[in-house]
Amino acid sequence: MLKYEITQDFCGGNILVESISENYAKVKINYRDSEPWCYWAFKVKGASGCKITFDFGEDAVGYFGPAVSHDLIDWHWSEPDRYKYDEKDRFSFEYEFSEDEDEVYFAHNCLYTPENFKKLDFLKQCVFCADSDGTECPMGEMGDGEKIILLTARHHACEAPANYVLEGVLKELKDKHLKGYKIVTVPFMDTRGVVCGDQGKGRMPHDHNRDYIADSIYPTVKRMKEFLEVSNVKYVFDFHSPCHLGGGNNLMSLVNAYEKFRDKMNLFSSLFSDEISDNGFKFTDGVITWRPEPLEGSFSAYVGGIEQVNFVATIECPYFGEEDNRMTPDRYIETGRAFARAIIKFTDIF
């Protein structure tokens, strides 16, 4: 009888177990109602002292091995100093459990759940709305100005790294007084997907970031549209993560699809680059992805068409980064602080 078990029964859990033996487990991603994507997360219980290979049979593991945690709050890479560029090295990973590691979480990326957000006690937190199954979507506020800076994330449930950058933005802004502005954040637009451990990207019949249409189907999107109708939102920043890895997916980038925001985007990119510290994730090249037109039904397309909105940008935050520019929660939080300093300078100009 095996001494350990693999489960997805926790906030953000996602895995299917095909076979399991003493030192080998064949696992696969649970796509559920979404198109094939990269997200997975599972817990191993009772494996203390064991050395186990977890085999996905496909490219599913990042450059630095899996993200590892013992409490679902603090995460680190299992092999932070090894850059696995060979694709075959990313089909599986091996982990040797110490004698006191009875319960260990593994994930595609460094997870960020509502429990992380609750720890930001400097925010006035409330419920934005209830999701389709009653899951509460949180919202945070600070400041008392009439104009609003809106910060959102997790339109795709699996894109947890973006939340670390968003947390850094909020931490920096709490120490700065943006006169005339209120900061509003909705950090989990697909809250149910975050809690259930869904991909979210490519969810059928369409995902949350394609639901900004006449007949929206997701409660959080419906509520966001109502909020935008009655609120004096001036600046909107929507935090995402790109595809699994490779090429531009390893870089942090800003995305713009509106010609009217082109000059502003160039300026914001420059301000952001200048603010990055040595402890942050590099954005020195000022990477901007120019889309010829807004993606139909997307959040950025919707808010970009609202007359009083001065600026909207999507920020892509890589799951892993590169050998000399590795994603870690601390580095992303520091990068978020730089992003906030850029926002402060930007709002002084516009």
Side-chain angles (χ1 to χ4, degrees), residues 168-217:
V169 174
L170 295 169
K171 285 181 172 177
E172 185 75 8
L173 290 178
K174 82 178 176 68
D175 297 325
K176 306 292 191 297
H177 182 62
L178 272 170
K179 186 176 181 180
Y181 287 97
K182 177 189 287 187
I183 310 301
V184 176
T185 182
V186 183
F188 309 105
M189 281 301 299
D190 183 2
T191 315
R192 179 180 178 276
V194 170
V195 172
C196 294
D198 292 344
Q199 306 294 320
K201 181 77 171 182
R203 187 190 296 281
M204 303 301 177
H206 59 257
D207 64 42
H208 286 62
N209 203 38
R210 298 295 182 273
D211 195 38
Y212 289 85
I213 54 180
D215 299 318
S216 300
I217 62 176

Side-chain angles (χ1 to χ4, degrees), residues 106-277:
F106 300 96
H108 170 264
N109 59 77
C110 296
L111 304 192
Y112 193 104
T113 72
E115 289 303 313
N116 293 79
F117 185 70
K118 287 179 183 178
K119 292 180 178 296
L120 305 183
D121 55 8
F122 56 86
L123 293 171
K124 178 184 176 182
Q125 297 198 21
C126 60
V127 177
F128 185 60
C129 71
D131 216 329
S132 57
D133 65 345
T135 303
E136 293 184 344
C137 173
M139 176 174 125
E141 297 181 349
M142 58 183 173
D144 55 6
E146 295 183 355
K147 297 178 290 185
I148 292 174
I149 297 173
L150 177 62
L151 309 169
T152 57
R154 305 296 279 276
H155 272 92
H156 300 128
C158 62
E159 297 173 1
N163 278 113
Y164 289 102
V165 180
L166 173 56
E167 178 176 316
V169 174
L170 295 169
K171 285 181 172 177
E172 185 75 8
L173 290 178
K174 82 178 176 68
D175 297 325
K176 306 292 191 297
H177 182 62
L178 272 170
K179 186 176 181 180
Y181 287 97
K182 177 189 287 187
I183 310 301
V184 176
T185 182
V186 183
F188 309 105
M189 281 301 299
D190 183 2
T191 315
R192 179 180 178 276
V194 170
V195 172
C196 294
D198 292 344
Q199 306 294 320
K201 181 77 171 182
R203 187 190 296 281
M204 303 301 177
H206 59 257
D207 64 42
H208 286 62
N209 203 38
R210 298 295 182 273
D211 195 38
Y212 289 85
I213 54 180
D215 299 318
S216 300
I217 62 176
Y218 300 114
T220 51
V221 173
K222 292 178 182 179
R223 177 69 183 96
M224 178 58 72
K225 289 165 68 177
E226 293 170 355
F227 174 81
L228 290 164
E229 286 178 6
V230 299
S231 303
N232 187 22
V233 176
K234 293 298 184 182
Y235 301 94
V236 180
F237 300 93
D238 189 29
F239 295 81
H240 285 256
S241 292
C243 298
H244 176 44
L245 47 67
N249 298 304
N250 298 337
L251 306 175
M252 184 168 287
S253 65
L254 297 168
V255 183
N256 180 58
Y258 282 95
E259 183 62 34
K260 64 180 179 180
F261 295 141
R262 180 174 288 267
D263 291 342
K264 292 180 179 179
M265 181 66 87
N266 283 324
L267 174 60
F268 187 85
S269 175
S270 178
L271 293 172
F272 182 31
S273 297
D274 290 344
E275 291 295 334
I276 297 289
S277 72

Side-chain angles (χ1 to χ4, degrees), residues 5 24 30 37 43 56 108 151 250 257 261 265 278 305 332 350:
E5 63 176 335
Y24 176 87
N30 191 349
W37 206 243
K43 177 172 68 176
F56 288 85
H108 170 264
L151 309 169
N250 298 337
F261 295 141
M265 181 66 87
D278 291 340
Y332 265 24
F350 296 104

Side-chain angles (χ1 to χ4, degrees), residues 281-311:
F281 191 88
K282 296 175 184 175
F283 186 72
T284 53
D285 294 328
V287 181
I288 302 176
T289 300
W290 300 106
R291 289 195 177 123
E293 59 185 24
L295 294 173
E296 185 177 357
S298 69
F299 177 60
S300 61
Y302 186 83
V303 295
I306 297 175
E307 185 176 355
Q308 82 269 11
V309 172
N310 289 339
F311 183 67

